[in-house]
Amino acid sequence: MAFHQTPFDHIGVWSPPQRLLPFLQGTCFVLIEASRFAVTSLLIVLGLPLFAFLFLAGWDLGLLFTQLGNLADHYREASAIRRIAFSQDLQGVFLATSLGVLLARAPRFLKRLETALAPAAPRETDNG
């Protein structure tokens, strides 16, 4: 008979209460879905400028990189105030685009969460 018990003596015996398990599963599901939603939204926002610039360049990569080089040269030659203003403009456009994408995708995301987390309706058996 053991006179001293450690917290590790009951590891194999303990299990979370049954009412806690669905809560933990739902929380993990929501966190996974929310991170998936955030990552895909970020990838959409980051891909939109590439799509727009390729569209404006007529899908010609050579022309696209020529224009990007021209933009880089103008940025390098600009004064510090103009660089800061350009940087702030880019940040504002990024935030506005991110917000627009999130708002456009949010209803579908919330509907998907609602249907996935809704309790299952009890099935009625037809014995007749």
Side-chain angles (χ1 to χ4, degrees):
M1 181 170 176
F3 294 106
H4 178 69
Q5 292 183 350
T6 65
F8 299 107
D9 292 338
H10 301 286
I11 285 179
V13 181
W14 185 84
S15 65
Q18 287 295 63
R19 67 174 195 258
L20 183 62
L21 197 57
F23 173 74
L24 292 174
Q25 289 172 343
T27 302
C28 289
F29 176 75
V30 168
L31 289 174
I32 290 169
E33 287 294 317
S35 63
R36 179 177 156 231
F37 173 73
V39 168
T40 55
S41 296
L42 182 64
L43 289 175
I44 289 170
V45 169
L46 292 176
L48 283 175
L50 178 63
F51 175 78
F53 290 142
L54 276 173
F55 181 74
L56 291 175
W59 307 107
D60 182 16
L61 285 177
L63 184 59
L64 172 71
F65 285 113
T66 301
Q67 291 299 327
L68 287 176
N70 186 20
L71 181 65
D73 290 338
H74 283 296
Y75 182 79
R76 193 173 25 249
E77 295 169 0
S79 67
I81 294 173
R82 289 185 184 250
R83 285 184 188 183
I84 291 171
F86 182 72
S87 172
Q88 289 176 347
D89 288 346
L90 281 181
Q91 290 173 4
V93 168
F94 177 76
L95 288 175
T97 308
S98 298
L99 185 62
V101 168
L102 289 174
L103 288 175
R105 297 185 70 214
R108 185 173 170 207
F109 169 70
L110 293 174
K111 184 180 278 189
R112 188 172 63 234
L113 275 182
E114 182 183 2
T115 57
L117 293 175
R123 292 186 180 185
E124 294 182 15
T125 57
D126 207 11
N127 294 333

